[in-house]
């Protein structure tokens, strides 16, 4: 038997690897598909991270439902795909409430191909090959092409996230994306602020071992000023097309006389699309065409014109008044009357 015959026999009997050549590289490939244009290609592995309270989970929950419903997200085109969410953090009641509110905001119905699991038993361990294979089967059986997992620390039990034990976890997550052809998006945390993080490269504020960032196609940092409804998202690492920073505004309404969400979602807060810009223009235009309009009518007219909520409209009226963009004179019963000179 020749040496070539010997190795060919080994390949046929034992080697399960797919050996590719330049003939494979030169074959025409279909265009790259994105679940959300410019963000989540298929397949890919992404981490979205930030400090507590930056609305990471709500932002990505919104993205998940936009894709499942085939609706543009923050001005970006989407490809409608069955979508799945794995909650390991918030619990069933809170997760039910959030997705109800997000779906109502979009007008989605029960037939939308969106699936979610909350606090599964047994818990998913991304460092375990068997758990990863089971997740692959769940996704393939439902045609899932976009998976969100909340969060990384809770799918790597027993692995110190600051050690090289994360290499296997991240390797299995990459395998999950490749075997399903899906975009896999993981929520994670930012390092606590310190003198070191203030001078570090932004990507180094991603918590955990360096293998976490190294394994990613895209890392997105979510930031939010205290008590603001505006969040900023920017890339700290990308292997493909650079992602420019973008902003989103959080909008929500509570069910009457409760703290439970009724509707919730995000709108683009970039430039001309921001609600602040839209509000300011609407108020100025309304006052310009209705000299000496009182605050109640101004508020009601602007709410009807823009669809923006009462508190935001009133706050903007006050802001324009303080900035002297609106002039005020007293009316009967000390009501404010607005005009523009």
């Amino acid at each position: 038997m020749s040496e070539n015959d010997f190795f060919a026999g080994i390949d046929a009997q034992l080697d399960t690897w797919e050996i590719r050549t330049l003939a494979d590289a030169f074959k025409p490939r279909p265009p790259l598909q994105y679940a959300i244009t410019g963000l989540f290609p298929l397949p890919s592995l992404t981490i979205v991270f930030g400090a507590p309270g930056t609305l990471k989970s709500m932002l990505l929950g919104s993205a998940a439902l936009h894709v499942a419903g085939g609706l543009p997200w923050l001005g970006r085109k989407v490809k409608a795909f069955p979508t799945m969410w794995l909650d390991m953090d918030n619990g069933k009641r809170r997760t039910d409430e959030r997705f109800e509110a997000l779906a109502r905001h979009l007008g989605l119905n029960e037939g939308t191909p969106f699936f979610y699991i909350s606090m599964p038993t047994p818990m998913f361990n991304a460092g375990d090959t068997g758990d990863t294979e089971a997740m692959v089967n769940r996704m393939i059986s439902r045609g899932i092409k976009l998976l969100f997992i909340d969060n990384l620390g809770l799918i790597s039990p027993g692995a110190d996230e600051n050690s090289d034990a994360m290499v296997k976890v991240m390797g299995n997550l990459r395998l999950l994306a490749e075997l399903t052809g899906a975009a896999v998006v993981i929520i994670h945390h930012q390092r606590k602020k310190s003198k070191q993080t203030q001078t570090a490269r932004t990507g180094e504020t991603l918590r955990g071992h360096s293998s976490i960032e190294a394994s990613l196609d895209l890392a997105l940092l979510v930031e939010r000023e205290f008590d603001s409804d505006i969040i900023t998202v920017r890339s700290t690492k990308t292997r493909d097309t650079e992602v420019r920073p973008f902003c989103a505004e959080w909008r929500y309404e509570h069910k009457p006389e409760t703290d439970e969400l009724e509707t919730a979602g995000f709108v683009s807060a970039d430039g001309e699309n921001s609600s602040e810009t839209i509000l300011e223009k609407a108020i100025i235009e309304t006052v310009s065409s209705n000299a000496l309009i009182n605050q109640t009518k101004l508020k009601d007219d602007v709410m009807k014109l823009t669809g923006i909520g009462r508190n935001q409209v009133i706050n903007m009226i006050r802001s324009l008044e303080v900035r002297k963009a609106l002039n005020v004179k007293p009316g009967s019963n000390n009501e404010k009357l607005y005009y523009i000179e």
Side-chain angles (χ1 to χ4, degrees):
M1 177 184 292
S2 70
E3 183 176 343
N4 287 341
D5 289 339
F6 174 77
F7 283 111
I10 291 178
D11 285 346
Q13 295 175 36
L14 302 177
D15 198 348
T16 60
W17 289 10
E18 179 187 6
I19 308 298
R20 299 172 72 82
T21 70
L22 284 179
D24 298 295
F26 291 149
K27 287 178 182 176
R29 288 176 294 278
L32 186 63
Q33 284 189 308
Y34 282 86
I36 298 177
T37 301
L39 290 181
F40 306 140
L42 276 59
S44 62
L45 181 60
T46 295
I47 273 184
V48 178
F49 69 107
T54 51
L55 299 173
K56 302 181 296 295
S57 296
M58 297 302 297
L59 179 71
L60 294 181
S62 167
L65 285 171
H66 275 76
V67 172
L71 301 171
W73 185 69
L74 301 181
R76 294 175 181 267
K77 295 180 180 179
V78 309
K79 177 77 172 175
F81 287 119
T83 303
M84 180 175 281
W85 184 279
L86 177 57
D87 163 54
M88 307 287 285
D89 191 19
N90 288 298
K92 292 179 182 178
R93 188 206 62 79
R94 185 174 290 108
T95 302
D96 287 344
E97 176 190 340
R98 289 181 173 185
F99 284 125
E100 177 193 11
L102 290 166
R104 287 192 187 283
H105 175 77
L106 298 175
L108 299 180
N109 59 39
E110 295 177 2
T112 302
F114 175 72
F115 306 87
Y116 65 99
I117 308 103
S118 183
M119 312 302 290
T121 304
M123 300 288 273
F124 172 55
N125 179 359
D128 182 85
T129 301
D131 280 12
T132 304
E133 290 175 350
M135 184 60 71
V136 168
N137 292 333
R138 290 185 191 100
M139 293 173 66
I140 290 176
S141 66
R142 294 167 177 82
I144 303 299
K145 291 300 179 184
L146 180 59
L147 171 69
F148 294 89
I149 301 178
D150 188 5
N151 60 61
L152 180 61
L154 296 172
I155 61 168
S156 50
D160 179 354
E161 69 176 22
N162 294 301
S163 75
D164 61 7
M166 294 305 295
V167 172
K168 183 175 183 181
V169 172
M170 300 310 297
N172 280 349
L173 290 171
R174 168 66 65 183
L175 190 62
L176 182 62
E178 292 294 323
L179 292 178
T180 60
V184 176
V185 183
I186 315 296
I187 297 173
H188 194 37
H189 299 293
Q190 192 175 21
R191 295 184 192 276
K192 291 182 180 179
K193 290 186 178 180
S194 65
K195 290 183 179 179
Q196 288 75 22
T197 60
Q198 289 175 1
T199 58
R201 178 178 60 85
T202 308
E204 292 175 351
T205 66
L206 176 66
R207 207 174 74 186
H209 192 260
S210 60
S211 62
I212 297 174
E213 185 186 28
S215 68
L216 302 173
D217 297 308
L218 176 66
L220 295 174
L221 172 63
V222 181
E223 297 174 301
R224 178 192 184 197
E225 294 294 328
F226 175 74
D227 209 26
S228 171
D229 288 334
I230 306 293
I231 64 172
T232 301
V233 183
R234 55 194 175 107
S235 168
T236 64
K237 178 194 175 176
T238 179
R239 285 178 172 166
D240 297 304
T241 305
E242 188 63 35
V243 177
R244 296 179 63 83
F246 60 94
C247 297
E249 180 179 353
W250 169 236
R251 292 187 183 176
Y252 60 94
E253 297 288 343
H254 288 123
K255 293 180 178 178
E257 300 180 4
T258 75
D259 291 328
E260 188 176 348
L261 290 172
E262 181 167 26
T263 66
F266 290 86
V267 296
S268 175
D270 291 314
E272 293 298 314
N273 294 321
S274 75
S275 67
E276 289 189 358
T277 301
I278 293 168
L279 260 183
E280 186 170 332
K281 287 182 176 179
I283 292 168
I284 296 295
E285 290 173 3
T286 302
V287 174
S288 296
S289 56
N290 296 274
L292 299 180
I293 185 172
N294 66 37
Q295 187 178 86
T296 299
K297 180 168 173 50
L298 175 57
K299 168 183 64 68
D300 291 344
D301 286 356
V302 171
M303 286 175 63
K304 290 177 183 177
L305 184 64
T306 64
I308 295 174
R310 174 181 180 278
N311 291 341
Q312 288 177 272
V313 174
I314 290 175
N315 288 340
M316 180 56 73
I317 291 172
R318 289 173 179 164
S319 174
L320 291 172
E321 182 181 339
V322 169
R323 288 151 49 192
K324 307 299 183 184
L326 292 180
N327 297 306
V328 185
K329 66 181 294 184
S332 59
N333 300 319
N334 292 320
E335 67 175 345
K336 289 184 176 181
L337 300 177
Y338 294 97
Y339 66 99
I340 294 176
E341 292 181 338

